[in-house]
Amino acid sequence: MQKKLTCFYLIPLTLLFMANCVFSLFETTYFSPYMHIELPEYKSDHPLVMLCLFSALLLLMLPFCRHLENSRISLRGSTFLSCLWAGALSTFFVFVFRCGVVCDSEQVSDIAVQVMQGNYEGFAKGAYLHHYPFQLGLVAILELVYRLFGVENFLAFQLLNVIAILCIVYFLQKITRELFDSRIISLWENLISLGMLPLYLFAAFVYGDLIGLAFGMGAVYLGIRYLKTSRWQYLPGTAALFSLAVIAKSNIYVLLAAFIIAMILKMLQERRWSILPWLIGILLLSQAGMSAVNSVYADRAGMERMWNGTPKTAWIAMSIQRADESANGCGWYNGYNWNIYEQYDFNNETVNRECLRNIGESLKDFAANPKYAAHFFYRKFTSQWNAPTFQSLITNEWYGRYSEDKLPLADFLSVGNGRRILYQVMNFYHLFLFAGCTMGLVSLVRSWSLEKAYFALNIFGGVLFHMLWEAQSRYVLGYYVMMLPLAASGYFTLFKYLRKKRA
């Protein structure tokens, strides 16, 4: 029964990624330099060139795969080298771009500096944290960094990002070993991870994405260990890591939800009702970190409790509004959630009711115009998942725009010919990873296990959540990174099949 239930998302996910391989051959989403708003644009790709390059790479990889199987390459050594590469490249980008803070990161950084000075105006009614109290976790991290390493020491935070990237790469290798128990697949995962440029480029971004993802990957790894061994000793660590992850990045709740679903499936599969108290405990403990942060800062600000903030329905309403693609992408940020909260004088009940009304209007619009609805969700999907850079280049250009410390190489990489080279590399790698992941998903359906299905559920959760939530290709980068183990498995299965056909 559990396998059949997971097919409700494994099959749609496989078909979506298969479709995106086709989409990526003919069109790609990109972001022009010098933007002042995050606006996805679209341009035609070169399908014959891409297919020829892809075919040539497969022909080169086939004998290399046999050599890899016969080699004595140490898995530990290859993991060390992939981590060394990730750390070196990420550090290189940090020192080249020397990014500062802009927009949300600037707001949060300013609040962190203010609270160090005993100034809590950022907590006032109508202020930034009144709208977005979920950012308080990042305020706490920045305050800690500033107290330890100096006020507005962005370099210290960026080096924490590098450490987070090392943890992400390491945990993904551990996850690959747990899921497939294959030295060759693990070696392939290490090799393929070398090309994950969008992840490494984001090391210079002063935000909570990478730190949250690092804790999230640790939680996913421990969750897989529990699903495989049924040893309860892994569960406290899983809950603690999820708790830390959501402090840095609230979207990690998607990964938490996937693990809760997997635990429910395990409970049903094994008829072990003793899992239920653990499930409840994980839900409670995973909230403890953010609850503690809210409580501490509310007390420091002289508040009874933190604000509830803009209702979550505002993001859903914004994400399905009829879009002017020349002004903003389908489902991308347009200021609606900020403005409606102020428009109704921060009355959560009234705002929530108005947002639900707007959601109903959008759904009626989709029902009355199915062609428009299909185009809207096609654009919303491709603007996020068919963007090979995942906003990494535009983010470094944007956040390093006013930096006086950046190297001349930064402009070459963000707006010059280097940008074009990086873009083409990421564009081809994007097709390569999606093709491998699609094959991996097909293989997963055939060689099903609960832990593999759970891992894929994390990615499906990311797809589904950001089809219903505010769209940004940066938001889905973490799920793109999680495709690495499945892609390694997919190419291993493909080469194994091709060798049998040739024998």
Side-chain angles (χ1 to χ4, degrees), residues 15-300:
L15 294 175
L16 267 176
F17 279 14
M18 191 180 297
N20 203 41
C21 291
V22 178
F23 299 155
S24 68
L25 286 172
F26 294 93
E27 187 181 62
T28 185
T29 304
Y30 73 105
F31 302 87
S32 297
Y34 309 115
M35 282 183 173
H36 292 283
I37 59 171
E38 293 159 322
L39 177 64
E41 300 176 287
Y42 310 94
K43 64 178 180 180
S44 297
D45 218 325
H46 307 283
L48 290 179
V49 173
M50 296 289 280
L51 283 173
C52 287
L53 287 173
F54 183 69
S55 301
L57 182 60
L58 290 183
L59 288 174
L60 290 172
M61 288 171 67
L62 185 57
F64 180 73
C65 182
R66 184 181 295 117
H67 174 74
L68 201 64
E69 289 182 3
N70 296 329
S71 72
R72 296 183 179 180
I73 297 174
S74 163
L75 187 54
R76 183 177 296 179
S78 71
T79 301
F80 173 78
L81 289 175
S82 66
C83 288
L84 181 65
W85 169 263
L89 202 55
S90 302
T91 305
F92 169 76
F93 289 135
V94 165
F95 282 100
V96 166
F97 291 108
R98 297 306 296 265
C99 291
V101 290
V102 184
C103 302
D104 283 306
S105 64
E106 184 176 23
Q107 295 262 23
V108 175
S109 177
D110 287 346
I111 292 170
V113 174
Q114 288 168 3
V115 297
M116 291 174 67
Q117 300 166 345
N119 179 351
Y120 295 94
E121 63 184 47
F123 293 71
K125 184 176 181 179
Y128 184 81
L129 287 177
H130 185 198
H131 285 264
Y132 304 146
F134 57 84
Q135 294 282 41
L136 193 54
L138 182 55
V139 171
I141 295 171
L142 283 168
E143 184 186 359
L144 179 62
V145 170
Y146 293 168
R147 287 189 182 277
L148 292 174
F149 303 104
V151 175
E152 294 187 338
N153 190 334
F154 304 135
L155 179 59
F157 189 94
Q158 289 159 343
L159 293 178
L160 281 180
N161 277 344
V162 173
I163 294 172
I165 288 170
L166 291 173
C167 292
I168 292 165
V169 172
Y170 176 74
F171 279 125
L172 280 170
Q173 173 56 211
K174 298 276 284 184
I175 287 168
T176 305
R177 292 187 222 176
E178 289 297 329
L179 292 180
F180 303 106
D181 194 24
S182 166
R183 171 179 165 273
I184 305 304
I185 294 177
S186 294
L187 288 174
W188 273 118
E189 193 277 334
N190 275 330
L191 186 63
I192 296 171
S193 72
L194 300 180
M196 188 53 75
L197 287 176
L199 177 67
Y200 308 145
L201 280 160
F202 267 113
F205 185 39
V206 182
Y207 218 56
D209 297 39
L210 296 177
I211 296 173
L213 184 59
F215 284 123
M217 285 299 97
V220 170
Y221 167 67
L222 291 181
I224 289 170
R225 288 291 297 157
Y226 168 72
L227 293 174
K228 282 188 69 175
T229 66
S230 299
R231 294 178 62 185
W232 65 265
Q233 289 87 344
Y234 291 110
L235 294 177
T238 304
L241 287 172
F242 274 132
S243 183
L244 293 170
V246 298
I247 290 174
K249 191 65 179 176
S250 59
N251 287 0
I252 297 296
Y253 279 121
V254 174
L255 305 186
L256 173 62
F259 184 61
I260 294 301
I261 292 171
M263 286 191 70
I264 292 171
L265 288 174
K266 183 177 178 66
M267 183 172 64
L268 295 174
Q269 181 184 33
E270 299 177 3
R271 298 184 181 277
R272 290 179 56 196
W273 311 117
S274 59
I275 291 175
L276 185 59
W278 282 107
L279 192 153
I280 296 170
I282 287 172
L283 279 172
L284 294 175
L285 185 56
S286 63
Q287 312 301 307
M290 200 62 216
S291 296
V293 170
N294 286 337
S295 178
V296 168
Y297 276 91
D299 184 65
R300 289 172 65 182

Side-chain angles (χ1 to χ4, degrees), residues 1-15 261 265 441-442 444-450 452-454 456-457 460:
M1 182 184 73
Q2 286 70 27
K3 183 177 181 179
K4 291 180 180 178
L5 286 173
T6 58
C7 283
F8 279 103
Y9 65 83
L10 288 174
I11 292 174
L13 181 62
T14 305
L15 294 175
I261 292 171
L265 288 174
L441 285 168
V442 172
L444 190 157
V445 172
R446 297 176 62 183
S447 58
W448 184 93
S449 69
L450 181 57
K452 290 179 184 177
Y454 155 62
L457 180 58
F460 179 77

